[in-house]
DNA sequence: CCCTACTGCGGCAAAATTACGCAGATGAAC
DNA sequence: GTTCATCTGCGTAATTTTGCCGCAGTAGGG
């Protein structure tokens, strides 16, 4: 409703990630695929850009330094009701995926991810008729690897504890130091033995 | 009041899973926690029960034989608009979790889970007083959570592999030797009192 | 200011996990 | 019978992870 600098009718894509390198790479990749990319590395900038530029799409990192990308999702939607938000994270878990979708994200992908997958997720179900009737993802044929299961469980309890690491470690019956170390590592891929 | 057996104002919990053993176990555990449980092992029965009994809660397996539990979620909501659906699966993945939430599920848990976690997920954000603040003053919930979870999962997959240790280790993404050691070592410590 | 609690991190010994090899058993294929 | 693939149990040595200190900084309540 207010002014925006959209000269053309194309609305930009807002890229929010605290990793400058990642932003640069993905920016280039998305720009070359026809998007007008604007980017931010923290919540405040992201909010401002969203308000001013009314982006159509948003690629949002879950972990923005100290801040939490999840909080931004509802705000973005109130600023730009029709924005499609794609969550992206190197520390993916089912618990945070559930949270993200509940808060209105359109999809959730785990890093590392290639730009084509990002574009696909962004555009999925966009251009008109939804086809979510026979588009169901199938369950993996293999159960979760042990590491993965552990990761998911940790994430869930951690969420339950509002991110309190000490409390989570206590409930999980593990050493706080061990939890810290585990959290600092990246999650395991979904498929055991599947290289990235 | 005419067509269903709800004599009181409590509405039942619909449990849908193709694994009869699992249904029996969880049924007992949930019943003992005060739920009136009705169960189905396929989509058709689930639909019928939902229509007739108007359950307040639903615990739904992702993989129902050939059928896909995801498909049922929107249907359940159209049959019973205020139903809270909890997805449960032994083959969890982020993709299906995202899809489940998009379709209106309230939460998504990976098996193995203990009944308390199910109840917690079911009730989370229900019953008025909630504002995503957690209220978990007491923590007798999951002391051995990690170890036990691992053990349950190993047993589940081992059974699935008909006791084939090598195959199980492969699916679990762990070293065969490690699995051997875990299996040989573990004196299964049951926790008394929990009925799941 | 004092006290409690959480967090991140370095270091070190103990424990667990891994990668390997080896030998015996089994069952299917030839 | 022989060959081949696979599973199994187990030992050993290299690696990784964990448990358990401690310390310093931060935040909130009394």
């Amino acid at each position: 409703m207010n002014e925006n600098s959209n000269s053309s009718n194309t609305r930009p894509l807002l890229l929010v990630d605290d990793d400058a390198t990642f932003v640069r790479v993905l920016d280039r990749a998305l720009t070359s695929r026809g998007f007008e990319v604007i980017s931010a590395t923290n919540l405040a900038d992201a909010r401002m850009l969203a308000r001013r530029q009314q982006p159509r799409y948003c690629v949002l990192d879950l972990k923005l330094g100290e801040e939490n990308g999840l909080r931004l999702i509802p705000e973005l939607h109130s600023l730009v009701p029709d924005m499609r938000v794609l969550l992206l994270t190197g520390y993916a878990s089912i618990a945070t995926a559930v949270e993200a979708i509940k808060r209105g994200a359109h999809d959730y992908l785990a890093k590392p991810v290639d730009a084509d997958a990002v574009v696909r997720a962004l555009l999925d179900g966009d251009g008109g008729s939804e086809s979510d009737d026979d588009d169901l993802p199938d369950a993996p044929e293999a159960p979760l690897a042990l590491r993965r299961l552990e990761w998911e469980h940790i994430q869930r309890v951690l969420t339950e504890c509002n991110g309190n690491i000490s409390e989570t470690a206590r409930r999980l019956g593990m050493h706080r130091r061990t939890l810290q170390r585990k959290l600092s590592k990246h999650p395991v891929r979904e498929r055991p033995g599947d290289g990235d």
Side-chain angles (χ1 to χ4, degrees), chain A:
Chain A
M1 44 273 306
N2 49 19
E3 89 302 343
N4 59 44
S5 51
N6 280 349
S7 48
S8 71
N9 57 357
T10 58
R11 286 158 58 195
L13 179 153
L14 175 59
L15 176 53
V16 189
D17 196 312
D18 62 336
D19 177 354
T21 305
F22 183 81
V23 168
R24 189 169 48 239
V25 172
L26 192 55
D27 184 335
R28 267 207 12 202
L30 291 176
T31 300
S32 80
R33 282 167 177 77
F35 290 89
E36 182 200 336
V37 177
I38 55 181
S39 57
T41 56
N42 59 68
L43 293 186
D45 288 354
R47 272 188 276 260
M48 187 203 56
L49 283 174
R51 185 165 18 237
R52 304 247 276 253
Q53 309 269 68
Q54 296 285 305
R56 179 76 174 87
Y57 304 102
C58 178
V59 174
L60 177 60
D61 190 10
L62 179 64
K63 190 172 70 68
L64 295 167
E66 302 296 286
E67 315 176 288
N68 192 329
L70 287 178
R71 292 183 37 216
L72 194 57
I73 306 177
E75 298 183 36
L76 288 176
H77 274 123
S78 69
L79 289 171
V80 189
D82 69 336
M83 193 183 336
R84 300 172 66 80
V85 178
L86 170 64
L87 253 287
L88 213 53
T89 175
Y91 299 77
S93 74
I94 289 176
T96 52
V98 167
E99 235 352 84
I101 303 300
K102 277 187 173 178
R103 291 178 186 232
H106 273 76
D107 213 335
Y108 181 106
L109 296 179
K111 292 183 192 174
V113 69
D114 61 298
D116 288 320
V118 172
V119 173
R120 220 175 305 128
L122 242 21
L123 265 36
D124 171 61
D126 192 18
S129 63
E130 295 295 317
S131 63
D132 49 357
D133 218 41
D134 50 359
D135 202 27
L136 298 174
D138 266 329
E141 86 295 334
L144 280 71
L146 268 196
R147 308 281 191 162
R148 181 80 191 177
L149 184 75
E150 180 186 81
W151 174 262
E152 297 295 351
H153 192 245
I154 288 175
Q155 290 299 322
R156 175 154 284 277
V157 177
L158 186 59
T159 303
E160 233 169 60
C161 295
N162 294 316
N164 183 326
I165 295 180
S166 297
E167 176 66 13
T168 303
R170 233 172 279 128
R171 290 198 195 174
L172 257 29
M174 67 195 304
H175 205 272
R176 179 177 71 93
R177 194 68 244 270
T178 302
L179 215 208
Q180 275 184 330
R181 287 193 267 239
K182 276 186 193 295
L183 286 175
S184 70
K185 284 181 189 157
H186 284 250
V188 197
R189 301 260 155 271
E190 298 211 1
R191 295 299 189 60
D194 195 27
D196 62 309

